[in-house]
């Protein structure tokens, strides 16, 4: 504004007998008789005499004209005041918020639950934003990302193992090396088999708050992991931690299926012994695990339960251990790599690349060379049936058994394909269903208990053998029915042959 003030002062010194001029949104006028000039801007009214003096608007002429320095100072104040009002008006027009000024624009804490050790919403959001900025800006993954959120995973032993450790003292075997009894679906205890020397199934790897050691559970989760963006970031790191565990401790390997799209690459977790990962054990049976839709990754059944229940119940870790104990390969697809709407495309590309030795087979006598077992959860059931509709001539001769958990498939799709339709209703197929509240059960039905299907169920799924999964939680159906799933698989593979490999 300084250059404007200088220009106006120069005009005052050479004021004409009659002149009208504009300065910005200010209009000034004068008469040859020296009448008062009126300056109007945003409600400001000033009187300027014939030589440029500024007075109040009481129309009383000054008895004594001020000197040039005084007039300049007054004019400078007038122009500064006008400039300030113009700028304020522009700010209100250009930068005003959409929310009315009378409305409270402060951020609201979801559910009113503040993060741990926060007493005010301001402290809550300060901590929330710092955690998110650290995790995202530094691109932290797995345990490093969890550390930034003040969390970590640790093994929490069950009460039986804790008691056993106390009794046996330091001479007792480590929990990871303890032989666990395997209970068959009929309730009988199977003999301890060398291939089934697994960690106790009741000891889980749980998420805890690092500073306090508090276990993250469903009832207190929002005290440590806020809903929204923080939940997504912590879930991502939890899934990455579980997948790192599968890679580092259980012989799995990431392979890239497709990276042509602009989004994330389509990948899969495959046993290092499988041909797709560079292995040579092509004749070993392969367990194919496909998870449902949403934001879950390869080998992950639930983002919620990986935070509040443990890695083992919410992932395919148990299946990996059981498969490896039988000298079997494992393949885990990631249907949601490019979003759940592209899940079928991801499965289609993954299957064609990983099992190219099946799809491109030319020897019709190779029926016993590549046995395949499938475990499909939720939407994956619908996707894999759709895929088999197009590739049944390739896969049916190798497919030994399939286990659906809360699957979305429909046998009406395959009514014109007799061989596939017959397989989906044969003894090689089995269905486990979670007993949700909307089915009329407030408590879970026992795992493995027969479910009496109605006519609508039979029309959709046919005469497939159907059992209760043992839980009301949809995303825990694979975990609660795990022993029954493997009892089903064991009936359709030669365990003795596997042990000799």
């Amino acid at each position: 504004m300084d250059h404007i003030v200088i220009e106006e002062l120069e005009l005052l010194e050479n004021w004409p007998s009659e002149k009208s001029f504009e300065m910005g949104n200010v209009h000034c006028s004068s008469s040859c008789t020296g009448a008062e000039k009126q300056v109007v801007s945003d409600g400001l009214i000033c009187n300027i005499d014939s030589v440029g003096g500024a007075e109040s608007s009481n129309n009383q002429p000054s008895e004594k004209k001020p000197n040039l320095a005084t007039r300049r100072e007054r004019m400078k104040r007038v122009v500064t005041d006008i400039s300030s009002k113009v700028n304020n008006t522009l700010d209100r027009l250009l930068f005003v918020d959409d929310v009315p000024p009378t409305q409270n624009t402060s951020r609201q804490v979801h559910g009113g639950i503040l993060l741990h050790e926060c007493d005010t919403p301001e402290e809550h959001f300060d901590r929330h934003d710092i955690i998110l900025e650290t995790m995202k800006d530094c691109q932290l993954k797995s345990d490093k990302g969890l550390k930034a959120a003040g969390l970590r995973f640790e093994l929490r032993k069950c009460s039986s193992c804790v008691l056993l450790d106390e009794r046996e003292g330091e001479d007792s075997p480590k929990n990871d090396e303890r032989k666990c009894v395997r209970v068959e679906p009929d309730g009988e205890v199977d003999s301890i088999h060398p291939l089934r020397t697994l960690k106790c199934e009741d000891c889980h790897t749980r998420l805890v708050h690092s500073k306090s050691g508090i276990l993250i559970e469903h009832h207190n989760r929002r005290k440590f992991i806020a809903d929204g963006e923080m939940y997504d970031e912590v879930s991502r790191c939890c899934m990455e931690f579980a997948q790192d565990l599968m890679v580092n401790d259980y012989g799995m390997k990431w392979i890239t299926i497709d990276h042509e799209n602009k989004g994330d690459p389509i990948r899969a977790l495959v046993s290092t012994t499988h041909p797709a990962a560079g292995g040579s054990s092509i004749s070993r049976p392969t367990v194919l695990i496909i998870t449902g839709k949403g934001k879950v990754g390869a080998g992950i059944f639930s983002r919620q339960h990986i935070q509040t229940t443990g890695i083992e119940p919410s992932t395919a870790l148990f299946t990996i251990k059981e498969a490896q104990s039988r000298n079997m390969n494992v393949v885990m697809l990631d249907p949601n790599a490019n979003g759940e709407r592209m899940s079928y495309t991801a499965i289609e590309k993954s299957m064609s690349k990983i099992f190219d030795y099946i799809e491109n087979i030319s020897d019709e006598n190779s029926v016993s060379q590549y046995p395949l077992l499938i475990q499909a959860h939720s939407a994956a059931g619908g996707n894999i049936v759709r895929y088999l509709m197009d590739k049944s001539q390739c896969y049916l001769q190798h497919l030994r058994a399939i286990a659906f958990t809360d699957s979305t498939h429909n046998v009406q799709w395959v009514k014109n394909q007799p061989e596939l339709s017959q397989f989906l209703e044969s003894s090689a197929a089995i269905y486990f269903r979670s007993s949700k509240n909307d089915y009329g059960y407030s408590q879970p039905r026992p795992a493995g208990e027969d479910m009496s299907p109605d006519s609508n169920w039979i029309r959709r799924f046919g005469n497939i053998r159907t059992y209760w999964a043992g839980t009301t939680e949809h995303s825990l159906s694979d975990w609660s029915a795990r022993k029954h799933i493997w009892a089903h698989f064991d009936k359709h593979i030669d365990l003795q042959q596997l042990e000799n490999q």
Side-chain angles (χ1 to χ4, degrees):
M1 293 298 299
D2 291 343
H3 69 283
I4 298 178
V5 174
I6 293 173
E7 291 176 0
E8 295 305 317
L9 292 177
E10 291 175 351
L11 286 171
L12 285 173
E13 293 175 357
N14 302 283
W15 197 277
S17 59
E18 180 170 350
K19 184 173 181 175
S20 177
F21 67 93
E22 292 185 0
M23 180 190 70
N25 66 341
V26 180
H27 181 78
C28 300
S29 63
S30 63
S31 66
C32 59
T33 59
E36 298 160 352
K37 287 79 181 175
Q38 192 176 59
V39 180
V40 182
S41 172
D42 292 338
L44 174 66
I45 301 176
C46 297
N47 292 326
I48 305 176
D49 60 20
S50 59
V51 293
E55 298 180 354
S56 62
S57 59
N58 56 10
N59 296 323
Q60 298 296 327
S62 175
E63 296 180 358
K64 183 179 179 180
K65 294 182 180 180
N67 57 32
L68 182 60
T70 303
R71 292 200 303 271
R72 286 182 174 179
E73 184 63 29
R74 288 181 179 179
M75 189 60 194
K76 185 176 181 179
R77 289 200 300 270
V78 170
V79 175
T80 302
D81 193 12
I82 293 172
S83 174
S84 176
K85 288 180 178 292
V86 171
N87 289 334
N88 290 338
T89 301
L90 291 175
D91 286 343
R92 290 197 302 272
L93 292 174
L94 298 177
F95 304 111
V96 67
D97 292 332
D98 294 333
V99 183
T102 57
Q103 183 175 338
N104 183 12
T105 59
S106 60
R107 298 164 69 182
Q108 301 296 318
V109 179
H110 189 276
I113 300 177
L114 301 176
L115 287 173
H116 183 63
E117 294 184 340
C118 292
D119 298 323
T120 65
E122 290 75 16
E123 291 181 2
H124 168 92
F125 284 113
D126 284 345
R127 178 170 297 180
H128 175 275
D129 293 346
I130 289 173
I131 290 173
L132 279 181
E133 289 173 5
T134 304
M135 296 176 73
K136 298 174 72 173
D137 293 349
C138 298
Q139 299 181 347
L140 300 180
K141 298 181 180 296
S142 190
D143 57 335
K144 293 183 175 62
L146 294 175
K147 185 177 181 180
L151 304 168
R152 72 173 188 271
F153 274 108
E154 67 177 37
L155 178 64
R156 288 294 179 101
K157 294 184 179 182
C158 65
S159 57
S160 299
C161 287
V162 171
L163 181 61
L164 187 60
D165 288 344
E166 291 176 351
R167 289 178 178 177
E168 298 181 357
E170 297 180 356
D171 295 334
S172 64
K174 293 182 179 180
N175 188 58
D176 288 349
E177 299 173 356
R178 182 175 294 120
K179 293 183 178 180
C180 299
V181 174
R182 185 172 185 272
V183 181
E184 295 298 328
D186 57 6
E188 297 180 0
V189 178
D190 188 14
S191 59
I192 298 178
H193 194 282
L195 292 178
R196 297 168 185 160
T197 304
L198 306 177
K199 188 181 74 173
C200 175
E201 295 174 16
D202 294 324
C203 298
H204 296 160
T205 307
R206 299 292 303 273
L207 190 65
V208 300
H209 184 243
S210 300
K211 183 177 180 181
S212 64
I214 297 175
L215 199 64
I216 308 301
E217 299 180 284
H218 179 72
H219 67 87
N220 67 358
R221 191 265 304 165
R222 285 194 289 181
K223 287 286 292 180
F224 302 95
I225 307 168
D227 289 338
E229 198 171 3
M230 184 177 180
Y231 179 91
D232 290 338
E233 287 298 303
V234 172
S235 297
R236 173 183 62 80
C237 291
C238 288
M239 291 191 293
E240 290 169 349
F241 182 91
Q243 290 166 339
D244 288 347
L245 192 65
M246 299 172 187
V247 171
N248 298 328
D249 295 352
Y250 294 96
M252 302 299 293
K253 180 180 179 180
W254 283 109
I255 64 169
T256 300
I257 305 297
D258 178 71
H259 201 178
E260 296 179 358
N261 298 326
K262 294 181 180 179
D264 294 332
I266 299 175
R267 300 193 301 170
L269 276 170
V270 181
S271 296
T272 54
T273 54
H274 191 276
S280 58
S281 302
I282 192 171
S283 60
R284 285 187 182 184
T286 298
V287 181
L288 172 63
I289 305 168
I290 315 176
T291 53
K293 68 178 182 180
K295 296 183 179 180
V296 294
I300 310 295
F301 294 114
S302 172
R303 295 195 306 159
Q304 172 190 344
H305 287 287
I306 200 172
Q307 298 179 43
T308 60
T309 309
I311 289 180
E312 290 80 3
S314 59
T315 70
L317 198 59
F318 177 84
T319 302
I320 296 174
K321 296 175 183 177
E322 289 287 335
Q324 290 182 348
S325 71
R326 293 164 173 78
N327 291 331
M328 300 169 67
N329 292 321
V330 178
V331 171
M332 296 186 292
L333 307 186
D334 185 3
N336 307 304
N338 295 142
E340 62 182 61
R341 296 183 64 181
M342 301 294 291
S343 60
Y344 181 75
T345 301
I347 290 176
E348 188 177 34
K349 291 182 177 181
S350 301
M351 293 289 291
S352 61
K353 180 170 183 176
I354 296 174
F355 297 104
D356 62 334
Y357 58 91
I358 289 180
E359 296 191 9
N360 298 322
I361 193 170
S362 57
D363 184 4
E364 297 180 356
N365 298 322
S366 61
V367 62
S368 62
Q369 291 186 10
Y370 314 123
L372 179 64
L373 309 169
I374 299 178
Q375 181 176 339
H377 174 66
S378 191
N383 283 329
I384 194 61
V385 170
R386 284 179 57 195
Y387 188 76
L388 291 176
M389 289 171 62
D390 296 331
K391 302 287 185 177
S392 60
Q393 72 279 5
C394 300
Y395 284 93
L396 282 183
Q397 60 178 331
H398 304 284
L399 193 53
R400 297 291 184 267
I402 188 168
F404 296 105
T405 55
D406 281 348
S407 173
T408 61
H409 73 280
N410 193 324
V411 295
Q412 298 301 318
W413 301 344
V414 298
K415 61 183 179 180
N416 295 326
Q417 294 182 259
E419 291 185 2
L420 180 57
S421 177
Q422 182 179 357
F423 176 82
L424 293 177
E425 298 182 64
S426 69
S427 61
I430 196 169
Y431 193 110
F432 292 97
R433 180 184 185 184
S434 60
S435 50
K436 300 177 183 177
N437 291 335
D438 54 356
Y439 296 148
Y441 297 106
S442 58
Q443 297 295 326
R445 306 296 297 170
E449 180 182 283
D450 285 339
M451 192 208 79
S452 301
D454 55 21
S455 58
N456 292 329
W457 181 271
I458 294 174
R459 173 173 174 78
R460 176 168 184 173
F461 297 104
N463 293 316
I464 187 173
R465 292 181 301 141
T466 306
Y467 303 94
W468 292 115
T471 180
T472 59
E473 291 281 345
H474 166 71
S475 53
L476 290 180
S477 55
D478 289 81
W479 169 254
S480 56
R482 64 194 183 281
K483 295 176 182 178
H484 301 274
I485 291 173
W486 274 101
H488 173 65
F489 285 165
D490 285 345
K491 292 177 181 178
H492 295 86
I493 56 176
D494 189 344
L495 284 177
Q496 187 63 41
Q497 181 182 356
L498 292 175
E499 292 172 11
N500 295 331
Q501 287 185 355

